[in-house]
Amino acid sequence: MRNWRAKTAAIAAVSALALVTACGSDDNGSDSAADTGNETEAGNETEGEGEGGGDLSGSIRVDGSSTVGPLAEVAAEMFMTENPGVMVDVAISGTSGGFEKFCQGENDMNNASREIKESEIELCEGNEIAYEGIQVSNDALAIVVNSDNPVECLTVDQANQIWDEGSSVSTWGDVDGLDIPDDLASEDLVLYGPGTDSGTFDYFTDAINGEEGRIRTDYTDIGEDDNAAVRGVEGDFAAMAFVPYSYFQEAGDAIKPLQIDGGEGCVDATLENVQDGSYAPLGRGLFTYASDVALEKEATVAFMKFWLENSAQIAETAGFVPMTQEQIDEGDAKVDSLTS
């Protein structure tokens, strides 16, 4: 989960915009409400209009990815301000942990930083949970190093050599093809990465090592706390980690994201390169999954439509890569088809 400073700043930004919108127009805008950082118990749908306007009511239980969590929190804040009769609870159990609950009917929606796995599909089918996934943002992973590290770019093969299962790389000098000074070459590689419940873990291992879950075991497992990886790299000249886009953007000059060469030359992890697909193979989509039962509730459908409609502002506020208009239109059409 992102740190409290970042979350507070995001909510404050949305709240400020809500105040301007409320004072200057009667149109529905981008707003913020009470903090959802503390998970509350999700109850049954309530009746009647909520105070302050809006005729939707009920509760929506959201769980899943720590990467998508900040997006969901901002979306929930904005939505609840316009619809005070609805409570959107956002929890974070990791993509895999969230799917385990979702496929047993415990949650209405599951945020995911990867697409659903075959084993999770089977679990949902076994419990007669029907669902659909909607992309809500673009994202990228980056391999990051200390800001004083002279390395600028890694090929996918070099990244694989470092991170693959059974890797014999123990120092920077063991990596084939790196032109580095002697003081770095002799340094032991210190590696940080997320745990196995993380969609970031699944995506990175598949993209770099060719198989989800395939990775060396002697790295520091930071669980769902990507900020721990940022802190580790910031404080160690020889450290390396892989983290989502929002975390290295927030870290600024404290760490350095490496360019990645997927076969077409070294490419920076910029917004434009993620959107146009040239930052390969570490660009990705972020998703939320809704169950068939959840989509029978008007509030859930309205929340998904709202998230898509305001996705650019939500992504910007939470520090992610906005979707293209084509992606937004595709998601909107998918929601319409699911609820028609």
Side-chain angles (χ1 to χ4, degrees):
M1 190 182 300
R2 300 177 77 196
N3 61 31
W4 176 247
R5 176 182 62 79
K7 181 180 175 184
T8 302
I11 293 173
V14 178
S15 298
L17 183 56
L19 181 60
V20 171
T21 303
C23 292
S25 171
D26 290 332
D27 292 340
N28 286 339
S30 300
D31 303 300
S32 176
D35 179 26
T36 57
N38 294 324
E39 185 183 353
T40 60
E41 182 179 356
N44 295 326
E45 289 195 48
T46 58
E47 298 180 356
E49 295 188 4
E51 294 182 6
D55 57 3
L56 289 174
S57 62
S59 60
I60 304 170
R61 295 167 296 180
V62 186
D63 205 334
S65 167
S66 61
T67 300
V68 188
L71 278 165
E73 288 170 348
V74 173
E77 298 290 344
M78 293 169 61
F79 181 77
M80 288 190 294
T81 297
E82 292 193 7
N83 301 276
V86 181
M87 172 61 71
V88 183
D89 292 322
V90 179
I92 292 175
S93 297
T95 297
S96 297
F99 270 129
E100 184 175 349
K101 296 178 181 180
F102 177 78
C103 290
Q104 296 183 66
E106 297 179 26
N107 300 316
D108 296 310
M109 298 168 60
N110 188 58
N111 296 324
S113 54
R114 56 163 172 78
E115 295 186 358
I116 189 169
K117 294 180 179 179
E118 186 62 37
S119 60
E120 292 158 347
I121 292 173
E122 293 174 359
L123 179 60
C124 278
E125 289 178 345
N127 289 312
E128 298 184 342
I129 302 293
Y131 59 85
E132 193 54 82
I134 306 292
Q135 184 173 347
V136 292
S137 184
N138 291 304
D139 190 28
L141 302 184
I143 298 173
V144 297
V145 295
N146 185 273
S147 56
D148 292 328
N149 190 311
V151 175
E152 298 292 337
C153 178
L154 281 182
T155 67
V156 171
D157 286 344
Q158 288 169 333
N160 170 264
Q161 187 183 357
I162 294 169
W163 287 98
D164 200 8
E165 184 178 41
S167 172
S168 61
V169 171
S170 60
T171 69
W172 280 88
D174 292 334
V175 183
D176 294 337
L178 279 185
D179 183 16
I180 53 178
D182 291 341
D183 62 337
L184 178 60
S186 61
E187 289 283 343
D188 290 337
L189 265 167
V190 180
L191 302 174
Y192 295 87
T196 57
D197 276 347
S198 167
T200 295
F201 171 89
D202 292 333
Y203 190 89
F204 181 85
T205 52
D206 184 45
I208 296 300
N209 298 333
E211 180 184 340
E212 285 187 4
R214 180 184 174 93
I215 196 170
R216 65 191 298 165
T217 58
D218 58 344
Y219 71 95
T220 298
D221 183 341
I222 50 84
E224 292 292 315
D225 185 8
D226 292 290
N227 284 303
V230 172
R231 292 191 297 270
V233 170
E234 182 180 7
D236 192 330
F237 175 65
M240 174 187 288
F242 58 94
V243 297
Y245 180 91
S246 58
Y247 289 88
F248 70 79
Q249 287 292 306
E250 182 184 323
D253 294 336
I255 59 175
K256 180 170 69 175
L258 296 179
Q259 298 171 331
I260 193 75
D261 183 354
E264 301 293 330
C266 295
V267 180
D268 285 307
T270 64
L271 183 150
E272 295 78 14
N273 292 339
V274 174
Q275 285 185 324
D276 67 21
S278 60
Y279 183 67
L282 293 181
R284 62 176 177 173
L286 299 177
F287 307 90
T288 192
Y289 284 71
S291 72
D292 56 338
V293 174
L295 289 171
E296 291 176 359
K297 298 191 294 186
E298 186 179 359
T300 308
V301 176
F303 178 53
M304 292 188 71
K305 297 279 284 185
F306 179 91
W307 194 341
L308 288 167
E309 192 175 303
N310 297 276
S311 62
Q313 182 191 336
I314 293 167
E316 182 179 355
T317 302
F320 288 79
V321 180
M323 293 192 291
T324 64
Q325 189 59 50
E326 182 179 359
Q327 290 172 322
I328 294 171
D329 292 343
E330 181 179 338
D332 200 51
K334 204 169 186 180
V335 174
D336 286 341
S337 69
L338 290 169
T339 57
S340 62

